[in-house]
Amino acid sequence: MKCGVSYEEVYEAYWLCLRHKGNTIDAIRFEINAEEECLKLWQELQNCTYKPSRSIVFVSDKPVKREIFGAAFRDRVVDTVFAQRVTPFLEQRFIDDNYSTRVGKGTLYGIQRVEQMVREQSANYTVDCWVMKLDMQSYFMSLPKELAWRKFASLLRQIYRGPDLEWMIWLLRVVIMDRPELNCVRNSPLKAWNGLPPNKSLFHSDGLHGMPIGKVISQMTALVFMDDLDHEITDSLWSMSVSYGHYMDDMIFVSRDKELLLWMRDEIVDKWAARNGVRRHPKKMYLQHYSKGVLFTGGMVMPGRTYISRRTIATCIDKIERYNRLAQSDEHYAREHVNEFASTMNSYLGMMRHFAAYNQVRKLLDRISPEWYQVMYVSMNRKRYKVCVRRVYREKMRQLARLEVELEILFEK
């Protein structure tokens, strides 16, 4: 079984991971002896002795309560190596309206596509059409591991052109069959799992079902698992009269024929789910006239306009209020965390400029307490708002960040 991964690929993947997770303790430990760690990891991949390391797990309450596993830094490197080699082939296979975790796609692209679907099916809002949304029940936690691996392996045999095909399939099986819930560190207190349904936690899994949310290969596997359904819908004769797309397991259909949508739900989606060991959520179905609007991936698509979802606004308000409380309780907090706060706000402001949300933006900025405006300001260009850190604090924060990293490395030694 030949491994086609070079040491240079492993080292390049390490740098890619470092850009996003470079400030974590796990990343700093790896970075201290980066060349040696990359060499060790490469040798494990060459000798087929690689096994996933201990993960961290925590419960996130926003936007909904869910259990998330975070891979160890060295496992992120392996996931990146795999993704770098496989993604170009998968991109040629996936349908265009598969929006999740793909470069150039994502939530905003999905919202814009839904808006376009409604406009086309309704002939620019002049003809009746209906929108249907479906959702799989506990999708990640109910995925059959063996079937998921066989589907992914079968697809790789069709599309992958590298000489190390069998090695890639071996690595895929190692990652998919891993049980991170048996070797993890909880970063949330046990009480955080209170109220989380058993079918949404790997700690209640039988070991044969469930993929951890938060890992790259898990996301890729979940997309591949639905690929045959995507093509069954889009390659059929009725695809001309139905527009279809999905973000992970959240599916959306738009058509002028309401009965056709119900038929597709029963005869296509439900039968596919039964064959593949998953289940459509019986309580999460939406079927309405397009004029009622449709909520999809954080955007409310209405005829001729799109609003940002109330849940996204509420999440942003919660974060502002939290930062305000911290800044008011500690006179140094705003100066020390201004970069973090500015980054958070600019993320929301950058997203909201794509929606009809001018009034919401003004109300959110008014909620920011005066302590923050001492170390930052808000600029506006063509009604686009941006939070900027005052120059004197920008340089101080850079120096402080460098000092913290140097102290962490020195402490580890």
Side-chain angles (χ1 to χ4, degrees), residues 292-357:
K292 302 293 185 181
V294 56
L295 184 64
F296 187 70
T297 65
M300 186 66 181
V301 179
M302 298 292 290
R305 61 207 185 278
T306 303
Y307 300 115
I308 195 166
S309 71
R310 293 179 180 178
R311 188 166 71 180
T312 303
I313 294 293
T315 302
C316 183
I317 290 174
D318 287 345
K319 290 190 176 183
I320 291 175
E321 295 299 330
R322 173 179 168 272
Y323 278 111
N324 285 347
R325 288 194 300 270
L326 291 170
Q328 291 164 2
S329 62
D330 182 357
E331 61 178 344
H332 302 293
Y333 186 87
R335 292 197 301 270
E336 295 173 354
H337 296 83
V338 60
N339 284 342
E340 177 186 335
F341 180 68
S343 177
T344 299
M345 289 304 303
N346 284 331
S347 177
Y348 280 100
L349 294 175
M351 174 179 60
M352 292 173 71
R353 69 183 177 88
H354 297 283
F355 299 90

Side-chain angles (χ1 to χ4, degrees), residues 67-222:
E67 175 187 85
I68 298 177
F69 281 82
F73 187 80
R74 70 194 313 269
D75 295 334
R76 291 181 184 274
V77 174
V78 173
D79 284 1
T80 302
V81 169
F82 182 88
Q84 291 281 94
R85 298 173 72 80
V86 172
T87 297
F89 299 100
L90 291 180
E91 286 297 322
Q92 297 176 18
R93 168 69 184 182
F94 287 154
I95 64 171
D96 185 57
D97 284 296
N98 177 348
Y99 314 125
S100 180
T101 63
R102 296 175 63 192
V103 176
K105 307 289 184 180
T107 56
L108 180 61
Y109 179 82
I111 294 168
Q112 293 171 341
R113 281 291 296 147
V114 170
E115 186 178 15
Q116 183 180 349
M117 290 176 190
V118 172
R119 190 183 293 273
E120 290 175 352
Q121 290 291 341
S122 66
N124 204 20
Y125 314 120
T126 61
V127 178
D128 287 339
C129 75
W130 281 262
V131 181
M132 179 175 72
K133 287 200 308 177
L134 303 175
D135 187 9
M136 292 297 169
Q137 188 170 27
S138 302
Y139 182 57
F140 270 85
M141 299 304 165
S142 63
L143 283 178
K145 289 186 175 183
E146 184 68 30
L147 179 58
W149 172 75
R150 282 194 277 111
K151 277 193 169 191
F152 208 151
S154 175
L155 184 59
L156 285 179
R157 293 186 191 280
Q158 296 176 39
I159 64 174
Y160 188 67
R161 297 294 178 262
D164 55 348
L165 173 62
E166 295 303 322
W167 178 85
M168 294 289 286
I169 293 175
W170 164 82
L171 177 61
L172 182 66
R173 184 175 182 85
V174 168
V175 176
I176 289 179
M177 296 302 174
D178 180 46
R179 297 192 63 185
E181 71 274 14
L182 301 180
N183 184 25
C184 62
V185 176
R186 294 182 190 253
N187 272 17
S188 295
L190 277 174
K191 65 180 181 181
W193 273 261
N194 294 342
L196 185 69
N199 63 350
K200 292 186 176 293
S201 173
L202 282 182
F203 292 104
H204 297 276
S205 169
D206 58 2
L208 302 177
H209 297 78
M211 300 287 292
I213 298 176
K215 296 191 177 184
V216 174
I217 293 183
S218 295
Q219 304 280 349
M220 296 176 69
T221 303

